[in-house]
Amino acid sequence: DQQVKQNSPSLSVQEGRISILNCDYTNSMFDYFLWYKKYPAEGPTFLISISSIKDKNEDGRFTVFLNKSAKHLSLHIVPSQPGDSAVYFCAGDTGRRALTFGSGTRLQVQP
Amino acid sequence: DTAVSQTPKYLVTQMGNDKSIKCEQNLGHDTMYWYKQDSKKFLKIMFSYNNKELIINETVPNRFSPKSPDKAHLNLHINSLELGDSAVYFCASSHRQVNQPQHFGDGTRLSIL
């Protein structure tokens, strides 16, 4: 039972353009969502999060949008840079402090 | 100045052996976790400890035993290793308060021969 789904295994964008990574969830008990970035042979690095009482959170080039009625969140990266090339995971937390992760989306930013 | 460090990074061993993975965090967090990344790349929670007390145990075989000597350390001991235990194991830590992100180590790749 996949409670967090990232339906796009990969995404390729040009440097300077916007990257939009999507995530859908089924568990209505999630009240906190996070995005992580992962390089090969490294651990996930926390990027940005959003509480379920908000619909947008911004940090520099990264913005996360939450649509609770659609059970959908997205991560926007503007402008995209080659160093952003990595696997991006979204995760949900019900408050138990046990994150439920999606399967990841591999982002490739072309110079 | 590594925040969450795990050792070893790679572990290759025979089926049936017992092995341990160590984890230490210097972030001053009071909660630590173990996650397993399986062959399909999903990261799944195994255990979490808060101030040395077990608070989450997610249907993990009892061959896996976490040990927390203090709140900065959470080690994972695995008995009688099986082929299906091959995976990457990640340690993480966070503050216990709600809406606090978890910070991960670089993982330990366990390969069972």
Side-chain angles (χ1 to χ4, degrees), chain A residues 74-91:
Chain A
S74 61
L75 174 68
H76 293 209
I77 307 173
V78 182
S80 301
Q81 299 173 354
D84 296 330
S85 297
V87 178
Y88 288 78
F89 291 93
C90 69

Side-chain angles (χ1 to χ4, degrees), chain A residues 95-98, chain B residues 30-33 45-58 66 74 94-96 102:
Chain A
R96 286 181 68 224
R97 311 299 286 125
Chain B
D30 54 8
T31 305
M32 296 185 71
Y33 313 81
I45 185 75
M46 299 174 69
F47 301 102
S48 74
Y49 267 73
N50 175 249
N51 281 325
K52 305 195 299 175
E53 180 183 348
L54 179 66
I55 55 174
I56 292 176
N57 181 343
E58 288 289 293
L74 181 62
S94 75
H95 290 296
R96 183 73 178 102
Q102 295 179 20

